[in-house]
Amino acid sequence: MPTVARNIVDTLHASGVQRMYGIAGDSLNGLTDAIRSAGTLEWMGVRHEEAAGFAASAESQITGELAVCAGSCGPGNLHLINGLYDAQRSRVPVLAIAAQIPSEEIGSGYFQETHPQEIFRECSVYLEHVSSASQMPRLLRIAMREAIEKRGVAVLVIPGDVLLQDIDADPVAIGATSSRVIPDESALEAAAEALNGSRKTTILAGAGVAGAHAELIAVAERLQAPIVHAMRGKEHVEWDNPYDVGMTGLLGYASGYHALMDCDVLLILGSDLPYQQFYPSEATVIQVDLRGEQLGRRTPIDVGLVGGVRETVEQLLPKLTETRSSKHLNAAQKHFAKTRKELDSLATPSKRTIHPQYLARLLDQAAEDDAVFIPDVGSPVVWASRYLTMNGRRRLLGSFVHGSMANALSQAIGAQSVEPDKQVIAMAGDGGLTMLLGELLTAVQHKLPVKTVVFNNSSLNFVEVEMKAAGFVNYATELENPDFSAVGQALGMHSIRVERSADLPAAVAEFLAHDGPALLDVVTERQELSIPPAITAEQAKGFTLYAIRTVLSGKGDELFDLAKTNFRQLF
């Protein structure tokens, strides 16, 4: 008769799950032993459970299917929480097994006792405690179905002794379902009326346009509308797209910002851009989202359509008139060309230093056509958003909603595990990498050919930019870094360090061509501003205060370097 743990393993295998991320521990012994004896799942041991959550999140983002992680009782599953928040907020299905202390000790203040039912409540769509063996098969089925259908995290809290109990139950396969959601006819008519009366329509497209590229281009052509994308929409929007005019939001740039602000009708397709200040205040707003609760969350809307982007656009297109002016589109395209030229001028070699833009551009040019890019939250996301080119085959993943540091390498492990033959590139910040530095060993131990490039500017760089914009002198952001290439070599991976622009192209080529895990440590310019697409009066005031305070604090050389490096970006 199988144990509860073996039934879990067999059910996961029958449902298409191939691996489980985590760190072994005594309360998980029943589960890890079941994985060993079954031989059907791979145990992906990491060095920190947070990385297990991030890796599962990335695997699910790659496949769209259920991924699984596990943590032992108390501190073990507590460490999962940041990665699970990322999965929950990225809306990907993940099952987390949170082992618990022995059943008879619950409530006694036992060694390592916590209450996971309370801890994981906010980062899950389903959370339940399994108190007996007879409960488990049904609760497992429910948890998996909830994660898959609600696109989020399901947590099962299971005491270690329950995992070891025998059970008379057969494994059951739990698979994904498919559906089409189409808006009400009256809502479609209202949207068509507003769009047909528009002279200047702009489309804001997000992650919800995945799988609807042809429909997106068709509606933009019919409306003669520029398409602005949010960060999570980049990989789905900008390829083979003459209507794309760039990105908006905190990491965006001028052309995307102005295309939104200049429209009289804004059509939002599958986007949940969180920054209210980047929406037009006077335009008529039409929003399409599969989740009705998202409508009007970020900005007031005039027409809300609950439906998938592809299905909704298919229903909307026949209702749209074909003859309309392209003046608004032409202006936005012209602005985009100018903005793109200015951005590209910054991605050039320098005699004195290495611009991070240049590094990002070289990675883009040298990477394979189906590469997976994963930038750390902070300045690497900025350079990824501006200098990576999507083509319909490349992927761009990250902690774009939860916004956690240290995501790049950990998510790269998950992406590489499920796509072992693809080029997976972690664009790591020095702060993010050192936060979970041990995961370099995970890549080495599992022989995962993850390529980790370090944007090494000896600082929490994006935090410094935020300080400058708010008028503060940089403080508590300095990082004393090692030679990361020496660290990588000590860990058993191919490693290169670059300090001059002239050496960078060859180093990038060698780094990406290596057959196995590799690390590229690039010393980049610290005084590089990654500012929003439009500088507010408050930010201008902040930069002025920063300049005054910097001079008064005796750091005038820093201000001079900043001015030299960023004059074109500021003005």
Side-chain angles (χ1 to χ4, degrees):
M1 187 177 292
T3 63
V4 165
R6 180 58 185 264
N7 183 267
I8 292 173
V9 171
D10 291 345
T11 296
L12 293 174
H13 172 62
S15 303
V17 174
Q18 298 180 35
R19 63 192 60 81
M20 187 182 299
Y21 303 91
I23 295 179
D26 60 350
S27 53
L28 280 176
N29 282 346
L31 188 61
T32 51
D33 189 64
I35 292 174
R36 177 197 62 79
S37 60
T40 53
L41 299 186
E42 182 179 7
W43 176 258
M44 294 293 297
V46 296
R47 299 306 175 104
H48 193 294
E49 288 92 345
E50 181 177 341
F54 272 128
S57 174
E59 176 179 326
S60 191
Q61 288 183 61
I62 288 286
T63 65
E65 299 173 357
L66 185 72
V68 184
C69 59
S72 57
C73 65
N77 60 58
L78 275 176
H79 285 161
L80 289 172
I81 196 165
N82 197 44
L84 294 184
Y85 260 100
D86 180 77
Q88 175 76 359
R89 301 200 68 197
S90 297
R91 299 192 67 242
V92 293
V94 168
L95 173 67
I97 306 295
Q100 180 58 297
I101 62 171
S103 297
E104 65 180 18
E105 296 291 353
I106 294 174
S108 70
Y110 190 70
F111 176 65
Q112 293 188 325
E113 181 174 7
T114 60
H115 294 87
Q117 302 95 295
E118 302 301 324
I119 293 167
F120 293 104
R121 193 167 304 281
E122 191 178 68
C123 66
S124 62
V125 296
Y126 181 80
L127 170 61
E128 195 52 73
H129 175 254
V130 181
S131 59
S132 69
S134 60
Q135 285 180 289
M136 199 288 304
R138 184 183 182 195
L139 293 186
L140 177 60
R141 295 195 304 269
I142 293 172
M144 293 172 67
R145 180 62 66 198
E146 291 265 349
I148 292 168
E149 301 300 336
K150 292 183 178 178
R151 310 294 297 174
V153 173
V155 182
L156 284 180
V157 182
I158 311 177
D161 56 292
V162 173
L163 286 168
L164 293 170
Q165 292 174 14
D166 292 336
I167 189 171
D168 184 12
D170 294 325
V172 177
I174 305 296
T177 60
S178 60
S179 61
R180 284 170 52 87
V181 180
I182 299 172
D184 179 78
E185 183 66 20
S186 63
L188 288 166
E189 292 289 349
E193 182 180 357
L195 290 167
N196 287 333
S198 168
R199 294 184 300 107
K200 298 189 296 181
T201 300
T202 293
I203 296 171
L204 171 61
V209 302
H213 188 265
E215 290 76 14
L216 174 66
I217 301 302
V219 75
E221 181 178 7
R222 180 68 57 85
L223 296 171
Q224 288 296 288
I227 303 173
V228 179
H229 63 262
M231 183 65 196
R232 292 184 68 208
K234 178 180 171 71
E235 64 174 323
H236 308 297
V237 171
E238 70 175 16
W239 52 281
D240 291 344
N241 185 352
Y243 304 97
D244 180 45
V245 296
M247 182 173 155
T248 190
L250 190 62
L251 307 181
Y253 35 90
S255 57
Y257 174 82
H258 286 289
L260 281 182
M261 293 302 164
D262 292 343
C263 71
D264 61 15
V265 173
L266 173 62
L267 176 59
I268 305 174
L269 298 177
S271 176
D272 188 34
L273 180 75
Y275 308 109
Q276 296 181 60
Q277 64 270 36
F278 290 96
Y279 290 92
S281 57
E282 302 297 328
T284 297
V285 179
I286 303 165
Q287 184 175 4
V288 179
D289 204 291
L290 194 57
R291 299 167 291 163
E293 69 271 19
Q294 293 296 113
L295 299 178
R297 176 173 290 191
R298 305 304 179 186
T299 190
I301 64 172
D302 298 277
V303 182
L305 300 97
V306 178
V309 170
R310 180 171 55 82
E311 300 95 314
T312 300
V313 172
E314 285 175 346
Q315 298 296 313
L316 190 58
L317 274 171
K319 303 177 186 297
L320 301 177
T321 56
E322 296 192 31
T323 304
R324 60 186 69 225
S325 170
S326 60
K327 184 177 179 181
H328 174 57
L329 172 63
N330 294 338
Q333 290 172 324
K334 183 178 179 180
H335 195 169
F336 177 54
K338 178 183 177 183
T339 301
R340 189 69 260 170
K341 183 178 180 181
E342 291 170 349
L343 289 172
D344 290 343
S345 71
L346 301 172
T348 53
S350 168
K351 291 183 179 179
R352 186 178 65 87
T353 186
I354 299 176
H355 293 302
Q357 299 96 320
Y358 181 50
L359 171 57
R361 172 53 53 83
L362 289 177
L363 288 170
D364 177 62
Q365 293 173 343
E368 294 176 356
D369 284 345
D370 61 352
V372 180
F373 296 92
I374 308 177
D376 257 333
V377 166
S379 55
V381 173
V382 179
W383 313 133
S385 72
R386 297 180 182 180
Y387 296 101
L388 296 184
T389 305
M390 298 294 104
N391 58 11
R393 299 179 64 208
R394 286 178 168 181
R395 296 299 308 274
L396 179 61
L397 312 182
S399 185
F400 298 141
V401 181
H402 185 46
S404 174
M405 286 178 63
N407 67 288
L409 175 57
S410 301
Q411 289 185 319
I413 287 167
Q416 192 76 82
S417 296
V418 76
E419 298 273 22
D421 298 324
K422 282 195 176 179
Q423 194 176 67
V424 178
I425 303 170
M427 299 171 65
D430 45 4
L433 177 65
T434 52
M435 189 176 282
L436 287 174
L437 187 65
E439 299 315 313
L440 289 172
L441 283 167
T442 300
V444 172
Q445 181 168 342
H446 292 286
K447 298 179 174 57
L448 297 172
V450 171
K451 304 297 183 285
T452 302
V453 56
V454 189
F455 287 72
N456 184 355
N457 49 38
S458 297
S459 66
L460 300 175
N461 190 251
F462 199 79
V463 177
E464 290 191 335
V465 173
E466 292 173 321
M467 285 182 170
K468 291 178 175 76
F472 293 103
V473 175
N474 291 157
Y475 178 73
T477 55
E478 181 86 22
L479 298 177
E480 186 171 327
N481 290 330
D483 179 337
F484 287 112
S485 67
V487 173
Q489 289 169 4
L491 299 180
M493 62 197 316
H494 182 67
S495 301
I496 307 168
R497 182 176 172 91
V498 180
E499 299 180 1
R500 299 190 315 133
S501 289
D503 301 327
L504 193 55
V508 168
E510 177 187 341
F511 161 71
L512 292 178
H514 180 72
D515 184 19
L519 184 146
L520 178 62
D521 178 14
V522 183
V523 180
T524 57
E525 172 60 54
R526 180 172 178 175
Q527 302 297 338
E528 200 82 40
L529 281 182
S530 49
I531 58 177
I535 301 176
T536 66
E538 192 64 28
Q539 288 166 334
K541 176 183 175 183
F543 277 112
T544 303
L545 286 172
Y546 157 74
I548 294 171
R549 289 170 177 168
T550 298
V551 172
L552 292 177
S553 66
K555 296 183 178 180
D557 289 342
E558 175 188 323
L559 180 63
F560 181 65
D561 288 341
L562 178 70
K564 286 197 300 181
T565 306
N566 298 287
F567 185 84
R568 285 176 293 176
Q569 288 175 279
L570 277 169
F571 303 102

